[in-house]
Amino acid sequence: MAAVNEWLNGYLEAILDVGSSVRKKKKNDDKVKIAKFEEDNNDERVEKLFNPTTKYFVEEVVNSFDEHDLYRTWVKIAWDDAQKLARRRLDREEGRNDAANDLSELSEGEKEKGDANSIGLEPHVKDDISRISSEMQLWSEDDNSRNLYIVLISIHGLVRGDNMELGRDSDTGGQVKYVVELARALANTKGIYRVDLLTRQIASPGEVDSSYGEPIEMLSCPSDGSDCGGAYIIRLPCGPRDKYIPKESLWPHLPEFVDGALSHIVNMARVLGEQVNGGKPTWPYVIHGHYADAGEVAAHLSGALNVPMVLTGHSLGRNKFEQLLKQGRLSREAINATYKIMRRIEAEEFSVDAAEMVVTSTRQEIEEQWGLYDGYDLKLERKLRVRRRRGVSCLGRHMPRMVVIPPGMDFSYVTTQDTVEGEGDLKSLIGSNRSQSKMNLPPIWSEIMRFFTNPHKPTILALSRPDPKKNVMTLLKAFGECQTLRKLANLTLILGNRDDIEEMSNSSSTVLTMVLKLIDKYDLYGQVAYPKHHKQSEVPEIYRLAAKTKGVFINPALVEPFGLTLIEAAAYGLPVVATKNGGPVDILKALNNGLLIDPHDQKAIEEALLKLVADKNLWLECRKNGLKYIHRFSWPEHCRNYLSHVEHGRNRRSTSLLEITPIAEEPTSDSLKDVEDISFRFSTEGDSKLNGETDPAARQKQIIEAIMSRVSSTGNSNNSYFPGRRESLVVVAADCYDNDGNLAKAFQTIILNVMKVVRPGRIGVVLLTGLSLQETIEALNSCQVNIEEFDAVVCNSGSEMYYPWKDLMADADYEAHVEYAWPGENISSTIPRLARIDDEEENDIVEYASACSSRCLSYSLKPEAKTRKIDELRQRLRMRGLRCNLVYTHAGVRLNVVPLFASRKQALRYLSVKWGIDLAKVVVFVGEKGDTDYEELMAGIQKTVVLRGAVECGSERLLRSEDSYKREDVFFQDSPNIVYAEKSYEDCDISAVLKHLKVS
């Protein structure tokens, strides 16, 4: 009974995917009201509550269950989280209305002009999915001057180029195959010099193959024979290298991956620049994150390097979260604990904030899945696009462009012909007495045909996981109850691999058990094949066998987000029958090679299969159409569309590429023995010869010559100071405030203790603070510390960077880096209104003008004021198309609103790149608590020293609501990079700490 319940729950989830819902909404006075359900059991009430889909579920599947228990389950689903969902929908509607009102001055003529071509989806063109809008130029492969570098990121699962272990676990599936093939296809596109696919390094021989521990794997050779061109898998540390962990456990380790990826990219930018760009760094053309985890990593890298970011979701957290809530099996807390779903959703929202473009497979994904997110609204994106095209201000609002680009396929191994190979061909291989010809048959053919009494009949092929949502049961019923279909065809079910059904997961074992029961019920022995094993490499032969028998491929899933198997089947000349829910609608519109069915309608499934099996002319027409139009789903076509969209996005975005500080200007009499340390040494394993890098001796000679040339050309031999000479950095980032938000004495003590130990030379000092520049100067003056002793001062929560050794000059490049999507003054009045709790006084939060700047809006809060937490305020801004980073500082009595990519941690990454200092050689001093950006400073590959008692009052209470994720999902609290001082900040021996960390 437990197994049946598990299957029912999965089936229920699948039904809910296509819109079955017991929540009734109606709009009255702009408020959503949720109908309350009582537990009466009269027929009239049931008729109102259950729609036809639900009645199908009840009548066809669970007629043996107690109806009252089932009814109670539905009531629970309807009511448990209805209020929270309704409240969020109200907030979203209010946010969209605010944005619409702000943008309402657009003329009607402009609106009409934009309606057809300015939405996130391109105008519909018959029989085609991959479209380029008229405002965009097609990618040209004729420009021989292009030598582009593209970075793809896919972190979880087991990623390698050959013998992929697809289906080994839930993390190693279609996404792995997709990203590997995409990397190869892009590298084979003219104009693309190198493609790096970044993933996680796993060195656990007893658990996984040793290949997953190799730092570099070549996917394709460079066409020009260069040392660094082509496509590569780059494996970087992310959590314990000696353990393979699921994606839900990777979240606290992502900052480590970001820092490692940044190091690799900077190294490659320098190396590629020397090869193809005249010595100037060749930065990535685009950074593309796949899934939520890689999307978050790509967003941080995009901000650090000011490179456009692209996102592909593959599957989305909000959709999964709502379906799990509807099932009613797990509470919100249990879902969050099991799937880390709130952490995943925030990563997806942040990725949407940062993305220039989001790649989807179907329109359904945009409208029904991305439409659930706070950061995306189709109508608002349409308005913003129209305004940009007309040169009208978007008032600081930003939304990524959603484009439909179906996954590509490699058809090089497909050897189909337009002429039909009929039954005679199969009979020539297999006689009526099952004797084989001299030609050896593929083993999988023999494995399938041994099930059939007559293997020459057309084969109806279904290939999927044994998942309730794949709806195999309805297919079996349709086949079993239609005598005509049973006489005309056989049925082949390829449902994954199994050794023992009892050892499989509950849902999989239940599906397979019911398959066996239905075969027995309808006496389908000799007519249905259900082999236990097949290899991934044998899948093409399975399609070929079905085509050889003039068979049909069917995907009857209740919902199919895309439907890659439909394209695979078409490539082998198989007509298809497919669900009308999801991606197959677009695929069949493009290929015109089959029929769509309602997956709940058993009769419709029978009729569609009979049509294609019995009508040979229709079968032949569908086959020819599929083969004729299949090129639309090829990898070259995918890459052409992809690169055209990326180029269009780059043209819309102002990209100020990061400048690497030139070799240090210092007297030629200074020692050059450490000069190689000036150059970047970022790589996966620190091997200076990886990727074609020159050997150390030659590199040192080049650097020395560059320094000598620089000195002689400038004539400046008296400048004895330059940050590029630093080998490591000591960073003070302790947020020392008292309960009233005033700077505490601990700040002065820590600064003085650090300055006593760190002397000018190979170690530099940086200050990271939420104070304004003027407040910082006053604070340093009060402790009699010369601000010029700092290499850099980062103020206003990472939004401003100053160099005291350059007369406190602001870093204009850093300002350009962090200005992406910055709404500036457009939100100055919006913040107080959204930050206040509804019934609070207006003057509880007011602008703090003396701390404001062009990149920071600062607000003062009354100590007793009740304001929204960071996650709640950020959500409301996203709903209005506004992208910012929010930081409560000064013990929670000040709010700094800064650009999306501005933060103290991002400032450190920026400096590490610009000055060529490995983040692993950076030591950050913090307190035991701090501003709401405190967690970012604890995460990554830098060394973090926690000073006991340094911070009297932090702001963490204002960071996240109770329903959100936890601190342990942000950074790994037992990281060896985090050191807790044994003594208080007053007695801490800074020198001993630095010596322990090997910084001296």
Side-chain angles (χ1 to χ4, degrees):
M1 181 61 71
V4 175
N5 275 327
E6 182 70 26
W7 179 81
L8 288 175
N9 285 327
Y11 199 94
L12 177 57
E13 176 186 353
I15 287 179
L16 291 167
D17 278 344
V18 291
S20 176
S21 174
V22 296
R23 283 192 301 272
K24 304 295 182 181
K25 297 190 301 179
K26 64 178 181 178
K27 193 171 180 180
N28 183 19
D29 298 328
D30 297 325
K31 292 186 178 180
V32 177
K33 296 183 178 179
I34 305 298
K36 296 183 178 180
F37 302 117
E38 299 175 357
E39 294 189 23
D40 54 68
N41 199 28
N42 60 72
D43 293 340
E44 181 181 357
R45 187 62 174 169
V46 172
E47 183 69 26
K48 290 180 180 179
L49 184 57
F50 295 108
N51 65 21
T53 298
T54 308
K55 285 193 286 185
Y56 169 86
F57 168 77
V58 175
E59 294 168 2
E60 299 296 326
V61 184
V62 295
N63 50 17
S64 63
F65 281 75
D66 183 272
E67 292 183 9
H68 184 70
D69 288 344
L70 185 64
Y71 187 85
R72 288 171 61 94
T73 300
W74 278 95
V75 170
K76 186 177 188 300
I77 293 171
W79 188 244
D80 271 357
D81 287 279
Q83 288 182 311
K84 288 183 179 179
L85 292 174
R87 190 178 301 115
R88 180 172 170 271
R89 291 190 180 106
L90 278 174
D91 289 339
R92 287 193 67 197
E93 185 175 350
E94 181 183 350
R96 304 307 187 221
N97 289 337
D98 279 358
N101 292 336
D102 288 346
L103 302 173
S104 61
E105 72 273 11
L106 193 60
S107 70
E108 290 301 320
E110 289 171 326
K111 290 180 181 178
E112 292 171 4
K113 184 179 180 66
D115 276 347
N117 298 317
S118 297
I119 60 174
L121 313 170
E122 277 69 35
H124 173 64
V125 179
K126 186 179 180 181
D127 295 339
D128 197 1
I129 289 182
S130 308
R131 302 172 184 85
I132 304 295
S133 62
S134 58
E135 66 183 31
M136 199 180 335
Q137 292 185 349
L138 294 178
W139 173 260
S140 173
E141 296 186 356
D142 298 329
D143 187 353
N144 295 324
S145 63
R146 295 176 187 256
N147 286 294
L148 303 182
Y149 174 36
I150 290 178
V151 174
L152 309 177
I153 308 174
S154 182
I155 300 174
H156 64 261
L158 299 171
V159 181
R160 65 182 179 189
D162 298 310
N163 299 317
M164 297 178 221
E165 300 183 67
L166 304 182
R168 181 188 190 275
D169 52 64
S170 60
D171 289 354
T172 309
Q175 178 180 327
V176 171
K177 184 172 185 286
Y178 173 83
V179 294
V180 169
E181 292 187 354
L182 175 60
R184 285 193 175 115
L186 285 171
N188 290 331
T189 303
K190 290 183 180 179
I192 308 300
Y193 186 75
R194 179 176 172 115
V195 178
D196 280 342
L197 170 56
L198 310 186
T199 191
R200 179 174 178 253
Q201 185 181 36
I202 310 160
S204 180
E207 208 174 4
V208 299
D209 190 81
S210 60
S211 60
Y212 300 114
E214 294 296 324
I216 296 178
E217 177 185 341
M218 179 180 284
L219 291 176
S220 66
C221 297
S223 57
D224 60 356
S226 62
D227 292 333
C228 289
Y232 299 83
I233 295 175
I234 305 296
R235 298 187 178 91
L236 304 171
C238 182
R241 294 194 206 188
D242 60 348
K243 189 176 181 182
Y244 178 47
I245 58 178
K247 59 181 178 291
E248 290 81 10
S249 300
L250 286 175
W251 293 110
H253 305 292
L254 291 187
E256 175 191 7
F257 192 92
V258 174
D259 293 343
L262 182 64
S263 298
H264 170 79
I265 291 171
V266 171
N267 183 54
M268 286 311 308
R270 177 175 55 80
V271 172
L272 295 177
E274 291 172 353
Q275 290 192 356
V276 299
N277 200 23
K280 296 181 180 179
T282 298
W283 298 111
Y285 189 67
V286 67
I287 298 176
H288 189 161
H290 294 266
Y291 194 78
D293 47 14
E296 179 174 300
V297 169
H300 285 300
L301 293 172
S302 172
L305 299 171
N306 201 20
V307 171
M309 175 211 160
V310 172
L311 172 68
T312 299
H314 292 277
S315 67
L316 300 180
R318 279 207 187 278
N319 187 55
K320 180 171 184 174
F321 184 45
E322 292 203 1
Q323 299 311 318
L324 288 171
L325 286 176
K326 289 173 183 177
Q327 286 182 21
R329 283 180 286 167
L330 298 173
S331 66
R332 177 183 291 262
E333 293 75 18
I335 293 171
N336 208 6
T338 304
Y339 299 101
K340 306 296 182 184
I341 202 77
M342 300 311 296
R343 181 69 178 86
R344 174 180 172 183
I345 289 171
E346 174 53 31
E348 289 164 340
E349 291 280 13
F350 179 60
S351 301
V352 170
D353 289 344
E356 195 67 44
M357 180 174 87
V358 177
V359 176
T360 69
S361 299
T362 65
R363 291 181 181 82
Q364 182 262 355
E365 183 181 343
I366 298 174
E367 296 166 357
E368 299 181 19
Q369 297 185 49
W370 282 114
L372 297 173
Y373 282 75
D374 301 326
Y376 183 75
D377 180 73
L378 186 60
K379 293 181 180 178
L380 181 54
E381 197 274 339
R382 174 190 302 179
K383 290 185 177 183
L384 294 177
R385 184 150 348 149
V386 173
R387 294 176 77 92
R388 281 195 304 269
R389 182 180 298 173
R390 302 289 293 182
V392 180
S393 170
C394 292
L395 304 180
R397 287 173 166 82
H398 165 78
M399 233 164 237
R401 185 177 188 181
M402 299 267 173
V403 297
V404 178
I405 310 178
M409 280 192 62
D410 178 13
F411 300 127
S412 61
Y413 53 86
V414 178
T415 58
T416 54
Q417 300 176 357
D418 285 331
T419 57
V420 179
E421 299 173 346
E423 278 188 29
D425 297 301
L426 189 58
K427 286 182 178 178
S428 67
L429 299 175
I430 308 170
S432 57
N433 61 352
R434 291 182 176 269
S435 61
Q436 298 182 11
S437 70
K438 294 182 181 179
M439 181 183 299
N440 290 326
L441 295 181
I444 191 64
W445 283 25
S446 301
E447 175 64 18
I448 291 173
M449 289 187 296
R450 71 182 179 86
F451 286 88
F452 297 137
T453 304
N454 179 6
H456 300 288
K457 290 196 296 185
T459 295
I460 299 169
L461 173 63
L463 190 156
S464 69
R465 302 187 312 275
D467 188 316
K469 290 184 286 189
K470 298 303 180 180
N471 200 29
V472 178
M473 250 52 65
T474 305
L475 169 62
L476 257 176
K477 288 183 178 181
F479 184 78
E481 294 177 10
C482 181
Q483 293 299 322
T484 305
L485 190 58
R486 291 173 60 173
K487 290 178 181 178
L488 289 175
N490 293 322
L491 177 62
T492 297
L493 302 176
I494 307 295
L495 302 175
N497 289 286
R498 65 187 185 276
D499 290 318
D500 186 345
I501 291 178
E502 295 296 328
E503 294 178 358
M504 303 180 74
S505 66
N506 285 340
S507 59
S508 296
S509 64
T510 306
V511 168
L512 288 166
T513 300
M514 293 195 71
V515 164
L516 297 177
K517 287 183 176 180
L518 287 173
I519 290 172
D520 188 74
K521 175 181 178 180
Y522 295 111
D523 194 14
L524 297 176
Y525 300 105
Q527 296 175 294
V528 178
Y530 43 97
K532 295 182 69 171
H533 297 284
H534 72 280
K535 299 175 183 177
Q536 183 65 27
S537 59
E538 292 177 321
V539 171
E541 296 299 343
I542 296 173
Y543 287 124
R544 286 192 179 105
L545 175 60
K548 182 79 72 173
T549 64
K550 289 188 179 180
V552 177
F553 181 81
I554 182 168
N555 180 340
L558 296 170
V559 178
E560 182 57 67
F562 179 62
L564 192 60
T565 52
L566 296 172
I567 300 173
E568 292 176 341
Y572 291 95
L574 272 174
V576 301
V577 173
T579 176
K580 68 176 184 178
N581 298 324
V585 175
D586 289 334
I587 293 174
L588 265 68
K589 193 171 290 184
L591 297 180
N592 193 25
N593 71 327
L595 303 172
L596 293 171
I597 47 94
D598 179 351
H600 301 287
D601 190 338
Q602 183 177 313
K603 191 68 176 176
I605 294 175
E606 292 175 14
E607 292 174 353
L609 291 172
L610 273 174
K611 270 186 182 180
L612 286 172
V613 171
D615 189 338
K616 297 306 178 184
N617 290 329
L618 177 61
W619 186 93
L620 182 59
E621 181 184 355
C622 288
R623 172 186 168 87
K624 287 183 176 179
N625 285 343
L627 293 170
K628 179 180 179 180
Y629 298 118
I630 196 65
H631 70 89
R632 293 173 175 170
F633 296 91
S634 67
W635 276 117
E637 184 74 7
H638 177 98
C639 291
R640 182 180 70 90
N641 289 344
Y642 172 82
L643 292 169
S644 298
H645 283 294
V646 170
E647 187 168 34
H648 176 68
R650 284 180 59 89
N651 292 337
R652 293 195 297 122
R653 174 174 178 170
S654 174
T655 53
S656 171
L657 294 178
L658 192 149
E659 293 291 334
I660 298 178
T661 298
I663 301 304
E665 298 177 18
E666 58 181 326
T668 56
S669 60
D670 282 359
S671 171
L672 296 177
K673 64 182 178 68
D674 294 325
V675 72
E676 191 193 350
D677 287 336
I678 299 172
S679 68
F680 290 105
R681 290 177 293 174
F682 297 99
S683 66
T684 307
E685 291 293 312
D687 185 349
S688 61
K689 290 190 177 182
L690 289 178
N691 306 319
E693 175 61 32
T694 54
D695 64 85
R699 179 64 184 152
Q700 180 167 326
K701 182 179 178 181
Q702 293 173 7
I703 296 173
I704 293 173
E705 290 174 352
I707 294 176
M708 297 293 289
S709 173
R710 178 80 175 178
V711 171
S712 61
S713 65
T714 61
N716 180 7
S717 60
N718 296 319
N719 185 4
S720 62
Y721 174 77
F722 199 80
R725 297 178 60 192
R726 307 304 195 200
E727 292 182 351
S728 57
L729 291 177
V730 170
V731 180
V732 178
D735 306 313
C736 305
Y737 305 106
D738 61 22
N739 290 323
D740 297 324
N742 299 315
L743 203 60
K745 185 180 178 181
F747 177 81
Q748 300 178 5
T749 304
I750 294 170
I751 293 289
L752 289 172
N753 287 344
V754 169
M755 290 304 181
K756 287 177 184 177
V757 174
V758 181
R759 299 297 183 186
R762 295 296 178 184
I763 302 176
V765 185
V766 173
L767 177 63
L768 304 179
T769 179
L771 299 167
S772 67
L773 176 61
Q774 186 58 40
E775 290 171 326
T776 301
I777 294 173
E778 293 172 359
L780 293 176
N781 287 340
S782 67
C783 55
Q784 298 181 340
V785 172
N786 186 352
I787 194 172
E788 293 183 3
E789 294 184 36
F790 289 89
D791 288 33
V793 175
V794 179
C795 301
N796 275 340
S797 302
S799 61
E800 302 162 24
M801 184 177 295
Y802 300 94
Y803 300 124
W805 51 277
K806 282 189 175 181
D807 298 324
L808 277 177
M809 179 186 294
D811 189 330
D813 288 339
Y814 182 71
E815 289 187 358
H817 255 55
V818 301
E819 72 176 353
Y820 177 74
W822 171 234
E825 289 296 328
N826 291 298
I827 58 168
S828 59
S829 60
T830 303
I831 293 295
R833 176 168 58 86
L834 297 182
R836 283 194 302 269
I837 304 297
D838 296 336
D839 57 351
E840 294 298 303
E841 299 291 334
E842 289 190 10
N843 62 353
D844 279 352
I845 175 170
V846 296
E847 186 176 287
Y848 192 72
S850 63
C852 291
S853 67
S854 61
R855 297 292 185 275
C856 177
L857 299 176
S858 193
Y859 298 87
S860 177
L861 287 69
K862 286 184 177 179
E864 69 279 3
K866 294 181 180 179
T867 56
R868 298 192 190 279
K869 297 183 178 181
I870 291 292
D871 60 345
E872 297 167 341
L873 178 54
R874 185 168 50 213
Q875 180 187 55
R876 282 161 174 75
L877 288 170
R878 283 171 175 157
M879 290 171 175
R880 291 157 176 80
L882 300 168
R883 321 288 176 171
C884 306
N885 186 20
L886 308 166
V887 182
Y888 279 111
T889 181
H890 289 68
V893 299
R894 189 183 297 181
L895 172 65
N896 284 343
V897 182
V898 299
L900 177 69
F901 290 142
S903 73
R904 293 191 283 178
K905 181 57 186 283
Q906 286 290 72
L908 272 186
R909 289 180 175 134
Y910 174 89
L911 287 174
S912 77
V913 174
K914 186 165 185 174
W915 290 349
I917 300 175
D918 191 340
L919 276 168
K921 295 184 177 181
V922 174
V923 180
V924 181
F925 287 92
V926 299
E928 294 170 290
K929 48 192 171 184
D931 297 349
T932 52
D933 62 350
Y934 172 82
E935 292 175 349
E936 295 181 34
L937 297 171
M938 297 288 287
I941 65 174
Q942 81 280 354
K943 306 297 188 295
T944 302
V945 179
V946 180
L947 299 173
R948 300 184 185 277
V951 179
E952 182 179 340
C953 187
S955 305
E956 62 277 359
R957 67 188 183 281
L958 294 169
L959 181 55
R960 286 186 291 268
S961 58
E962 292 182 0
D963 290 337
S964 189
Y965 53 91
K966 308 302 180 184
R967 171 171 286 188
E968 55 263 29
D969 299 327
V970 180
F971 70 93
F972 184 45
Q973 299 182 68
D974 295 326
S975 169
N977 292 327
I978 301 176
V979 178
Y980 291 85
E982 295 181 359
K983 300 180 181 180
S984 70
Y985 73 94
E986 296 173 305
D987 303 320
C988 179
D989 188 340
I990 300 295
S991 179
V993 170
L994 294 179
K995 186 176 181 180
H996 171 74
L997 297 174
K998 299 181 181 179
V999 176
S1000 59

